Amino acid sequence: MKKRIIAGNWKMYKTSSEAKDLVHGILNGMKEMNLPADREVLVFPPVIHVKEVHEMAKGSKLSVGVQNMYFEAEGAFTGEVSPKMVKDAGAKYILIGHSERRHIFKESDELLNKKVKAAYDNDLIPMLCIGELLEEYEAGKTNEVCKKQLVEGLKDITADQAKKLTVAYEPVWAIGTGKVATPEIAESVQKYVRSVLADMFGQDIADLIPILYGGSAKPDNAAGLLSQPNVDGLLIGGACLKADSFLAIAKL
Ligand code: PGA
C-alpha cells in the first residue's frame, strides 16, 4: 500500500520550549482525528530537538526525521552528525538534498548520493528532494533537472532499496515564496518523476514510492494538490510551524 505522507520541515525554527509546544499541539490534534491507515504524519525538527520529539511521540502515529546528516560513520568532522547518531536519537526519516542544502550549502548530487547510501546502511528512510530553479523552470528544463538529480542522487541504489525510498518534488521558485505550483504543474512533473523511477527500478516499485510535493503548500491549496494521482503527500515548510495549519493539512 502506498502511503500518503504529510511532512513538516521545521528548518531552523523553534527553541526547545517552542518545539515542545508545537509537538503537544500536533499530538493533541492527532488524538482527535481518525487518520486513515495509509496516512503518515512526520516532522523534521532541528536535530537538537529530535530525541525529545521522538520521546514525546512514542505510542502515537507521529514519526520523526532529521533535516540533514553527514555520510561518514564517525571521525574528525567538526559540526556534523553521523547516520548512527540520528538513528539513535529516534529518527526514522532523513531529508536529503533539500534545495537549501543544495543551493546555500552547495551540496552536490555526488555528496547527496553518499548520504542516500548512508541512510540505507543505517536503516533510515531517505526522502530525496529534487526541484528546479526559477530560471530552469522558465527555460523549460524542469524534467531534465529532476531526472539528473534522481539519476545521480540514486546512483547504485538497488531496486530492493528503492522500495523504501521517498521523493519530494520541490520547485525552488515555490519554496517560501507563496507561489505554489498549480496542481497541474505538480502532477505533470511528478508523473514524469515516477516514469524516471520506473526506468530505474521497474514500474511496480515506482508505483510504491511516495512522491511528495513541496513549495508554499498551505491549508487552502493542499486539497487541490493532493487530489492529483501522482501527488502522494506534501512537504510543508511555513505552514507546519503552527499545529493548526499543519493538522488542517494532515487530516485531508
Ligand atoms: P514552504 O517550504 O512550504 O515554506 O514553501 C517547503 C520546504 O522548504 O520544504
Side-chain angles (χ1 to χ4, degrees):
M1 180 174 60
K2 189 168 60 176
K3 284 190 265 185
R4 173 181 282 188
I5 303 175
I6 302 299
N9 172 12
W10 295 11
K11 306 195 181 186
M12 200 174 73
Y13 291 100
K14 305 290 178 191
T15 61
S16 174
S17 65
E18 289 165 350
K20 274 185 228 160
D21 285 351
L22 178 54
V23 175
H24 269 305
I26 295 171
L27 291 172
N28 284 340
M30 280 174 68
K31 264 187 229 148
E32 284 152 31
M33 280 176 198
N34 205 358
L35 290 174
D38 70 343
R39 188 69 38 90
E40 179 151 21
V41 183
L42 164 66
V43 288
F44 292 100
V47 68
I48 197 164
H49 303 319
V50 167
K51 196 174 171 69
E52 175 109 54
V53 175
H54 170 68
E55 296 293 332
M56 289 176 76
K58 268 188 188 155
S60 78
K61 285 174 89 180
L62 181 68
S63 308
V64 189
V66 284
Q67 300 170 20
N68 186 34
M69 66 179 188
Y70 199 49
F71 65 88
E72 294 280 7
E74 61 182 7
F77 302 105
T78 302
E80 296 293 327
V81 292
S82 74
K84 213 177 186 175
M85 291 172 195
V86 301
K87 178 81 189 169
D88 186 49
K92 177 176 174 190
Y93 282 82
I94 165 77
L95 209 54
I96 297 177
H98 187 278
S99 79
E100 286 143 24
R101 300 299 316 171
R102 290 177 185 270
H103 300 294
I104 303 174
F105 299 101
K106 308 287 177 222
E107 294 195 358
S108 65
D109 287 310
E110 196 188 343
L111 173 68
L112 300 175
N113 179 243
K114 290 184 178 160
K115 294 188 178 193
V116 172
K117 289 177 182 162
Y120 283 121
D121 288 346
N122 288 278
D123 199 23
L124 291 157
I125 303 174
M127 184 175 286
L128 180 67
C129 302
I130 58 170
E132 79 288 1
L133 297 163
L134 180 61
E135 58 263 35
E136 293 166 333
Y137 173 72
E138 286 173 346
K141 290 189 174 158
T142 299
N143 287 359
E144 192 187 312
V145 170
C146 289
K147 182 174 182 177
K148 179 177 182 289
Q149 292 175 346
L150 285 171
V151 169
E152 294 186 9
L154 299 173
K155 192 166 168 266
D156 301 327
I157 297 307
T158 64
D160 206 42
Q161 287 175 317
K163 287 182 189 157
K164 280 188 93 185
L165 178 68
T166 55
V167 172
Y169 166 58
E170 299 203 296
V172 181
W173 48 268
I175 298 178
T177 58
K179 271 195 252 164
V180 64
T182 61
E184 292 72 26
I185 295 174
E187 171 59 20
S188 134
V189 181
Q190 296 189 198
K191 190 172 172 193
Y192 175 74
V193 165
R194 197 174 310 280
S195 76
V196 174
L197 294 170
D199 288 345
M200 294 175 78
F201 305 114
Q203 191 67 52
D204 288 356
I205 289 174
D207 285 342
L208 282 175
I209 298 176
I211 305 175
L212 285 67
Y213 166 82
S216 296
K218 304 267 179 306
D220 62 355
N221 59 31
L225 290 159
L226 289 168
S227 69
Q228 301 299 315
N230 285 288
V231 179
D232 306 314
L234 296 170
L235 179 56
I236 306 157
C240 81
L241 296 174
K242 290 208 167 90
D244 287 359
S245 50
F246 185 55
L247 291 167
I249 301 174
K251 73 177 177 204
L252 286 172

